[in-house]
């Protein structure tokens, strides 16, 4: 499967979403998760749902392994960066408690790294627009096909 294809991005999105949920549930509980992490998980869920809707589009399932989204490279990059950030966050949560570990956890949520979560929010929101434009273009193509019949 080619990187950047619809199927590759859907699979990457699902793995990032699962990681975010695991962190929220396993380590801090759904109510104890920091607000920014809960918001990030919500955005990831919306993006993942949006991407999964692509699976419901008419056409050959083989197309998913070759179809490219507009901005697919950018979407994949955002998801990889987000996954890396969440993996780092998870590793800090599993670290043996101590002053150093606690300080590193705090910096991820309120320090300079906290702005990375905000960056992910913005990037994911931009991807919604790209994907919506792609989806509307696909609908437009199908309408034109029907008009030709």
């Amino acid at each position: 499967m080619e990187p950047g294809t619809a199927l590759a991005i859907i699979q990457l999105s699902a793995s990032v979403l699962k990681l975010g949920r695991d962190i929220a549930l396993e380590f801090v509980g759904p109510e104890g998760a920091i607000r920014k992490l809960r918001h990030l998980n919500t955005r990831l869920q919306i993006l993942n749902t949006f991407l999964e809707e692509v699976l419901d589009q008419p056409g050959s399932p083989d197309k998913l392994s070759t179809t490219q989204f507009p901005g697919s490279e950018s979407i994949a990059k955002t998801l990889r960066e987000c996954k890396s950030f969440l993996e780092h966050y998870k590793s800090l949560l599993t670290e043996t408690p101590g002053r150093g570990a606690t300080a590193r956890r705090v910096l991820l949520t309120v320090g300079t790294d906290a702005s990375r979560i905000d960056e992910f929010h913005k990037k994911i929101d931009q991807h919604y627009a790209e994907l919506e434009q792609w989806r509307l273009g696909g609908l437009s193509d199908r309408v034109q096909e029907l008009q030709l019949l």
Side-chain angles (χ1 to χ4, degrees):
M1 170 177 25
E2 291 284 320
T5 62
L7 191 55
I9 291 173
I10 291 166
Q11 290 173 341
L12 180 58
S13 173
S15 73
V16 174
L17 176 61
K18 182 183 180 323
L19 180 59
R21 282 183 178 164
D22 288 351
I23 290 169
L25 294 175
E26 230 177 283
F27 296 101
V28 291
E31 298 305 315
I34 60 167
R35 186 177 349 167
K36 285 185 176 191
L37 183 57
R38 283 196 314 261
H39 288 257
L40 180 60
N41 282 342
T42 299
R43 281 181 165 82
L44 288 169
Q45 175 62 60
I46 293 167
L47 179 64
N48 193 65
T49 300
F50 198 99
L51 290 168
E52 285 180 342
E53 288 175 1
V54 172
L55 293 173
D56 297 332
Q57 299 294 318
S60 165
D62 297 339
K63 280 182 78 175
L64 291 175
S65 61
T66 57
T67 299
Q68 297 273 333
F69 288 116
S72 61
E73 312 241 339
S74 174
I75 294 168
K77 181 180 178 200
T78 298
L79 290 170
R80 283 191 304 272
E81 288 172 355
C82 188
K83 185 176 184 178
S84 176
F85 176 83
L86 290 171
E87 286 170 340
H88 179 64
Y89 188 77
K90 184 176 181 177
S91 73
L92 290 177
L93 291 172
T94 58
E95 235 179 71
T96 306
R99 288 193 338 204
T102 302
R104 285 188 294 279
R105 287 183 203 135
V106 169
L107 285 176
L108 276 176
T109 57
V110 297
T112 55
D113 282 340
S115 65
R116 293 209 52 216
I117 294 176
D118 294 330
E119 287 174 31
F120 292 133
H121 289 185
K122 289 175 188 170
K123 287 180 179 182
I124 291 170
D125 288 346
Q126 289 171 349
H127 297 318
Y128 295 150
E130 292 170 340
L131 290 169
E132 185 62 34
Q133 187 176 24
W134 176 78
R135 188 166 65 171
L136 289 174
L139 289 173
S140 174
D141 292 346
R142 284 193 288 280
V143 167
Q144 287 178 351
E145 287 173 11
L146 289 173
Q147 289 174 344
L148 293 174
L149 295 176

